[in-house]
Amino acid sequence: MRRWVRYDAPIMVCVEIDDDTEHTEINKVVLCIDPDDIQLARDHRGQFLVYDERMEPMHGDTDPATNHAIHIAEDRTGWPDADSLDWEEGPDPLRFPDLYGPAEPEDDQDEDDDLEPLDLHEHKAAH
């Protein structure tokens, strides 16, 4: 069973504004990844945001695994170092749930191959 516990990480955008020419320019974007800056995300009711493997919302009052996942995720002593291979950069798993999922077993058959296997015993019996 897999649960994704959502966190909010601040992103700061530095905008340079020239009062005389009205010229504006974004000159830096900083994703704040210090664990002290990252907080558990909550919905409008204050409930922690937790999702299953299909990114369906899960609630602690109906799913004990959700409460356990929140407790484990909140204990940052278990987090791997940010430099390790266990941290990834990429699109939001909420939008692309299959991107970070476990590898699916490969299918030996070609998807375009819709031929049925030939049963030689059945073919001989028909003659």
Side-chain angles (χ1 to χ4, degrees), residues 3-123:
R3 295 290 180 266
W4 287 87
V5 180
R6 187 143 178 107
Y7 274 77
D8 284 331
I11 297 175
M12 298 292 291
V13 178
C14 182
V15 180
E16 193 75 32
I17 303 168
D18 185 346
D19 291 335
D20 297 329
T21 64
E22 296 183 16
H23 174 75
T24 60
E25 177 183 357
I26 295 175
N27 59 16
K28 188 173 296 283
V29 176
V30 177
L31 171 61
C32 307
I33 61 168
D34 185 329
D36 292 335
D37 296 329
I38 301 171
Q39 302 300 318
L40 282 167
R42 296 175 184 260
D43 64 12
H44 67 281
R45 297 170 300 176
Q47 300 294 313
F48 293 119
L49 299 177
V50 181
Y51 304 88
D52 68 4
E53 332 41 47
R54 295 178 314 272
M55 293 302 156
E56 296 292 327
M58 302 301 295
H59 302 285
D61 54 348
T62 59
D63 180 48
T66 295
N67 290 327
H68 187 65
I70 291 167
H71 177 72
I72 296 299
E74 198 170 26
D75 178 16
R76 295 180 190 203
T77 60
W79 284 25
D81 291 332
D83 295 333
S84 77
L85 297 176
D86 294 325
W87 282 62
E88 295 187 34
E89 292 181 13
D92 188 347
L94 204 55
R95 289 184 22 227
F96 301 97
D98 296 331
L99 187 61
Y100 301 98
E104 295 290 326
E106 289 190 28
D107 189 6
D108 292 349
Q109 293 183 329
D110 185 15
E111 289 181 12
D112 297 328
D113 185 11
D114 58 353
L115 300 175
E116 294 181 19
L118 177 63
D119 186 353
L120 295 176
H121 299 290
E122 181 180 321
H123 185 66

